[in-house]
C-alpha cells in the first residue's frame, strides 16, 4: 500500500479527533520547496471536549504541533525531512510574528510528533531520543533533546488501554487489530465511535478496490473488516428501527389524527415493545391510558 493512501486515511482520522480540541489543517504547505505537513494542529481556547477524552493524543494536543504519520517505519532520511518541515514552519511563524509585532516564546513554537507503527533501537539511539523520565509520558514515546522539539512515537510499544486507543488504531498488524476490536466494543453512543468506524470502513473499501492487492493490503483489509461489517450491521438495524418508527407514527396519526408533544414523548418507549404487543397497545388503549402507561416520567 502506498504512503499516499495511508496519508489520506491518517489525515482524515486525526482531523476527526483533533477537531474537538482545536483548529486542524491537513496538507499545510511550508516555505522554500513546497512540502506538506500531514496534520498541523493549534489548540482551541475552549475545546469541544476535554483533552483527557483523547488520552495520550489529547496530551500531545495540549500545544501546537505537527503530526507526521507513517504506515511503515520511517527511515532516518524521512525523519530528517519531517524535522525540516518543523524548522521551516517555525521560521515562517517567527517571521509572521515579527510582521505583526508579536513575540513568540519557545513554548509557543510547534512540536513535531512522528507516529510510526514501530521504532527500532537503532533509529531511536541514532537521533538521541529517550523515554521521558519525569513520569508525565507513558512508555513508547521517545523525546529528542529538548530544543529539537521532536518525539518519536512507537505505536506498538504503547500500553494497551483506552488512554492509547486513538493512537493504536494507526498501528499495524496485531496492534491495529486489537485497537479496532476495542473501538468496536465502545458503547454505540460514544461520541467518537461512529465517525471513526465510518473512516475505517471507507479506508477498507478504498484498499479493497485496488487491483492486485499485496500482502500488506490483505492484512489491512483483514484488520479493518470488523469495523466495516459492524458499521453495515448497525446501518441495517438503524434502517429497520427507522421503518418501525415511521409505522408507529402512522398508526398514532390514524388513531388520534395528529401526533402532539405528549404523544411524541412516548414514541421511544412504545418502540421498545415487542411487535405483537405494539399494535394492540396503540389501537386498544385510550389516549389517557397510553400516556399514563408509557410516559417516561
Amino acid at each position: 500500500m502506498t504512503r499516499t493512501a495511508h496519508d489520506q486515511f491518517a489525515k482524515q482520522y486525526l482531523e476527526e479527533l483533533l477537531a474537538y480540541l482545536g483548529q486542524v489543517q491537513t496538507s499545510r504547505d511550508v516555505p522554500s520547496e513546497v512540502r506538506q505537513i500531514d496534520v498541523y494542529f493549534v489548540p482551541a481556547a475552549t475545546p469541544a471536549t476535554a483533552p483527557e477524552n483523547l488520552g495520550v493524543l489529547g496530551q500531545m494536543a495540549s500545544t501546537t504541533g505537527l503530526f507526521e504519520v507513517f504506515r511503515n517505519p520511517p527511515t532516518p532520511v524521512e525523519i530528517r525531512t519531517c524535522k525540516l518541515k518543523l524548522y521551516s514552519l517555525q521560521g515562517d511563524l517567527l517571521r509572521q510574528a515579527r510582521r505583526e509585532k508579536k513575540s513568540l516564546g519557545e513554548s509557543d513554537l510547534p512540536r513535531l510528533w512522528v507516529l510510526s507503527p514501530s521504532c527500532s533501537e537503532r533509529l531511536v539511539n541514532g537521533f538521541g531520543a529517550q523515554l521521558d523520565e519525569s513520569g508525565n509520558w507513558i512508555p513508547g514515546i521517545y523525546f529528542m533533546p529538548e530544543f529539537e522539539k521532536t518525539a518519536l512515537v512507537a505505536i506498538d510499544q504503547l500500553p494497551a488501554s483506552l488512554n492509547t486507543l486513538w493512537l493504536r488504531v494507526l498501528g499495524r498488524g496485531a496492534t491495529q487489530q486489537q485497537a479496532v476490536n476495542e473501538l468496536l466494543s465502545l458503547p454505540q453512543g460514544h461520541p467518537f465511535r461512529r465517525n471513526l468506524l465510518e473512516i475505517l470502513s471507507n479506508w477498507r473499501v478504498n484498499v479493497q478496490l485496488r487491483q492486485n492487492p499485496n500482502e500488506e493490503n490483505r492484512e489491512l483489509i483483514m484488520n479493518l473488516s470488523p469495523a466495516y461489517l459492524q458499521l453495515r450491521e448497525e446501518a441495517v438495524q438503524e434502517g429497520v428501527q427507522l421503518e418501525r418508527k415511521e409505522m408507529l407514527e402512522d398508526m398514532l396519526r390514524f388513531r388520534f389524527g395528529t401526533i402532539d408533544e405528549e404523544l411524541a414523548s412516548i414514541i421511544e418507549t412504545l418502540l421498545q415493545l415487542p411487535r405483537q404487543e405494539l399494535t394492540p397497545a396503540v389501537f386498544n388503549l385510550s389516549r389517557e391510558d397510553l400516556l399514563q402507561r408509557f410516559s417516561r416520567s
Side-chain angles (χ1 to χ4, degrees), residues 24-247:
V24 185
Q25 284 182 263
T26 58
S27 302
R28 171 172 173 147
D29 291 340
V30 292
S32 66
E33 290 182 45
V34 176
R35 301 182 181 89
Q36 288 190 333
I37 299 165
D38 283 353
V39 175
Y40 176 60
F41 173 77
V42 179
T46 54
T49 189
E52 294 78 16
N53 291 334
L54 289 180
V56 179
L57 180 59
Q59 188 178 1
M60 295 174 178
S62 63
T63 58
T64 302
L66 286 66
F67 292 85
E68 292 288 324
V69 190
F70 288 85
R71 177 63 183 164
N72 298 305
T75 65
V77 170
E78 289 174 320
I79 298 293
R80 288 193 289 268
T81 300
C82 291
K83 293 176 70 175
L84 182 57
K85 295 179 188 180
L86 172 68
Y87 300 146
S88 296
L89 178 60
Q90 287 183 356
D92 189 35
L93 294 174
L94 288 168
R95 286 188 293 273
Q96 180 182 348
R98 284 196 294 270
R99 287 195 302 270
E100 297 174 358
K101 297 183 178 179
K102 298 179 181 178
S103 62
L104 282 181
E106 187 67 25
S107 61
D108 299 317
L109 295 174
R111 174 179 289 277
L112 169 63
W113 303 96
V114 178
L115 307 183
S116 172
S118 62
C119 290
S120 67
E121 185 176 350
R122 177 175 176 271
L123 186 74
V124 171
N125 293 338
F127 283 101
Q130 297 181 347
L131 295 172
D132 175 65
E133 296 181 353
S134 68
N136 293 328
W137 295 89
I138 60 174
I141 304 178
Y142 298 89
F143 292 89
M144 296 185 193
E146 179 182 359
F147 294 137
E148 293 191 33
K149 300 183 77 69
T150 299
L152 304 174
V153 182
I155 295 176
D156 65 335
Q157 298 180 29
L158 298 176
S161 68
L162 182 61
N163 197 38
T164 64
L165 173 59
W166 318 110
L167 290 172
R168 288 184 290 114
V169 169
L170 296 171
R172 285 192 60 174
T175 299
Q176 184 182 55
Q177 187 177 47
Q178 179 180 346
V180 171
N181 289 335
E182 290 176 27
L183 181 61
L184 290 171
S185 69
L186 293 175
Q188 289 197 20
H190 192 284
F192 308 144
R193 181 181 182 275
R194 181 59 181 262
N195 288 350
L196 296 185
L197 286 182
E198 289 181 357
I199 292 172
L200 290 170
S201 297
N202 289 338
W203 189 22
R204 179 193 182 276
V205 171
N206 291 336
V207 173
Q208 193 168 31
L209 290 176
R210 293 175 175 272
Q211 294 181 347
N212 303 320
N214 56 28
E215 186 63 31
E216 180 183 343
N217 286 354
R218 284 192 286 270
E219 174 195 287
L220 182 59
I221 290 171
M222 182 183 68
N223 286 348
L224 299 180
S225 289
Y228 172 76
L229 295 173
Q230 180 67 30
L231 191 65
R232 285 187 57 184
E233 180 181 342
E234 290 179 8
V236 170
Q237 292 174 352
E238 288 171 2
V240 171
Q241 189 72 353
L242 179 60
E243 182 179 348
R244 192 161 183 252
K245 182 178 181 182
E246 291 174 348
M247 180 192 72

